[in-house]
């Protein structure tokens, strides 16, 4: 969900987020349950490729979603070939790639705010049991925002470490990252309190 959304007016863009999440869940279950042969993998991959086309997502963007899986897929494939068969390796790796691609398609065509709204509506019945959907929605939003922020901190510290000739020192990477992450968390917490986000807890106390 982090920075993946691509604005558009396709059928997938117009489909409500709740329906897309439901169809994604059903699709993933179907792929896991029904894909048993390499030809089944090809059919499932073809369906996902067509859906990317329906969503107006180009091949370069589509491939970028599964590129980070390359090494994981390679390791899993080798492991499966050793303990099972090449055909089974194709099925296992194919299922992983197809399901990740399908999930990526949902994020590419759905705004994060729409995702959070769905989560809030799903959790609303739990309000009577003390669950606060608004706070959970805020937590999810902060998580989505902070992941790229933390990634940026790691990249900045890594670049600084290399500039000092300490590219092989894990201490030179881990210590500044932890310190900056904690400072960012403190600043964020103070900002939330200043905006009254923690008022309910203070009143209950």
């Amino acid at each position: 969900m982090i920075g993946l959304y691509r604005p558009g007016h396709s059928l997938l863009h117009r489909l409500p987020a709740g329906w897309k999440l439901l169809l994604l869940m059903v699709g993933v279950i179907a792929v896991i349950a029904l894909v048993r042969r390499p030809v089944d993998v090809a059919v499932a991959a073809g369906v996902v490729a067509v859906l990317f086309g329906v969503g107006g997502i180009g091949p370069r963007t589509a491939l970028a979603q599964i590129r980070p899986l390359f090494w994981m897929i390679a390791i899993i494939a080798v492991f499966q070939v050793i303990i099972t068969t090449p055909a089974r390796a194709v099925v296992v790796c194919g299922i992983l790639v197809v399901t990740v691609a399908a999930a990526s398609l949902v994020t590419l065509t759905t705004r994060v705010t729409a995702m959070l709204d769905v989560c809030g509506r799903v959790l609303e019945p739990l309000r009577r049991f003390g669950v606060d959907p608004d706070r959970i929605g805020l937590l999810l939003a902060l998580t989505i925002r902070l992941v790229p922020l933390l990634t940026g901190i790691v990249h900045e510290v890594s670049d600084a470490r290399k500039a000092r000739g300490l590219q092989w020192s894990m201490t030179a990477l881990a210590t500044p990252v932890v310190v900056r992450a904690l400072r960012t968390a403190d600043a964020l917490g103070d900002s939330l309190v200043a905006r009254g986000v923690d008022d309910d807890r203070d009143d209950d106390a």
Side-chain angles (χ1 to χ4, degrees):
M1 296 175 65
I2 304 169
L4 290 179
Y5 176 70
R6 296 293 186 273
H9 303 284
S10 70
L11 176 62
L12 291 180
H13 283 85
R14 297 195 302 270
L15 191 66
W19 279 104
K20 278 187 276 193
L21 291 174
L22 178 62
L23 291 174
L24 174 64
M25 180 178 67
V26 173
V28 169
I29 293 174
V31 168
I32 294 174
L34 300 178
V35 172
R36 291 289 180 267
R37 302 169 299 169
V39 66
D40 299 333
V41 173
V43 172
V47 171
V48 173
V50 170
L51 290 175
F52 268 93
V54 172
I57 307 300
R60 179 177 298 180
T61 301
L63 291 175
Q65 311 312 308
I66 59 176
R67 189 177 297 119
L69 296 175
F70 176 78
W71 290 110
M72 181 190 302
I73 293 296
I75 293 172
I76 293 175
V78 171
F79 181 74
Q80 287 293 323
V81 169
I82 292 174
I83 67 172
T84 58
T85 63
R88 182 58 183 169
V90 171
V91 171
V92 172
C93 295
I95 289 176
L96 179 59
V97 171
V98 167
T99 52
V100 169
S104 298
L105 179 59
V106 172
T107 61
L108 286 166
T109 58
T110 311
R111 295 182 183 277
V112 174
T113 51
M115 293 280 199
L116 296 176
D117 288 342
V118 171
C119 293
R121 291 196 299 271
V122 170
L123 294 172
E124 187 62 33
L126 299 179
R127 189 183 291 274
R128 68 184 65 181
F129 301 107
V131 176
D132 189 343
D134 297 330
R135 285 182 179 269
I136 294 178
L138 176 62
L139 176 63
L140 292 173
L142 289 174
T143 301
I144 293 170
R145 175 64 188 93
L146 289 177
V147 169
L149 181 61
L150 183 58
T151 302
I153 291 175
V154 172
H155 284 311
E156 291 175 5
V157 173
S158 179
D159 291 340
R161 179 185 63 165
K162 292 177 181 178
R164 297 196 303 270
L166 301 174
Q167 60 267 30
W168 301 111
S169 173
M170 290 304 299
T171 302
L173 175 66
T175 302
V177 167
V178 171
V179 171
R180 290 186 58 178
L182 291 175
R183 288 177 177 174
T184 301
D186 287 340
L188 178 61
D190 293 340
S191 178
L192 291 174
V193 172
R195 286 165 173 77
V197 173
D198 210 33
D199 285 348
D200 292 341
R201 191 182 71 178
D202 293 339
D203 292 342
D204 293 339

